[in-house]
Amino acid sequence: TMPDPALERCSSCFFPTEFHEVPLVSIKAINHDTKVFTFGLPEGASLDLPVCACLLLRGYDDKGEPVIRPYTPISSNDIKGSFSLCVKVYEKGTVTQWLDKLQPGAMVGFKHIPFNIKA
């Protein structure tokens, strides 16, 4: 679904400055510890992330507490309906281990804040 248009935005990015959840659509293994995670956006919607910017992903630790990490998508803003992250899964990486256990259909929260624009 589209984020509430009343939510604050810091750029043209699909994601507001508050977390908005989107579904994990697919996972593709690149090698033994790196995967491409593709997330769904509404049909026809582009991530529209500014150059030199990243997203904040909300994962969870073993106790269910939120843990936030920045990620830079690898997909072009020309792509509609999805975006992708290339992630190395670290043995002791809290968020990468959480992400690696997800199945397609799981909802993952992202946001975009002014601090993460490096233009």
Side-chain angles (χ1 to χ4, degrees), residues 7-111:
L7 291 174
E8 177 186 36
R9 297 186 179 272
C10 64
S11 74
S12 58
C13 182
F14 172 82
F15 290 103
T17 58
E18 295 179 28
F19 281 105
H20 180 76
E21 292 189 337
V22 293
L24 174 61
V25 175
S26 67
I27 304 165
K28 178 183 176 189
I30 301 299
N31 61 31
H32 71 284
D33 66 358
T34 304
K35 297 179 180 181
V36 173
F37 294 83
T38 300
F39 298 90
L41 296 174
E43 186 175 333
S46 167
L47 181 59
D48 206 15
L49 188 68
V51 174
C52 296
C54 66
L55 298 173
L56 294 180
L57 181 152
R58 179 180 56 204
Y60 295 91
D61 65 16
D62 292 338
K63 297 177 179 139
E65 294 294 319
V67 179
I68 313 305
R69 294 289 185 270
Y71 288 95
T72 302
I74 60 169
S75 47
S76 164
N77 282 331
D78 293 336
I79 294 174
K80 308 278 189 216
S82 69
F83 68 96
S84 298
L85 304 177
C86 186
V87 178
K88 179 173 177 161
V89 179
Y90 291 95
E91 185 178 328
K92 295 185 180 187
T94 302
V95 172
T96 62
Q97 286 295 318
W98 174 82
L99 198 56
D100 192 43
K101 292 180 177 99
L102 296 180
Q103 297 297 315
M107 300 299 284
V108 178
F110 291 91
K111 71 178 180 177

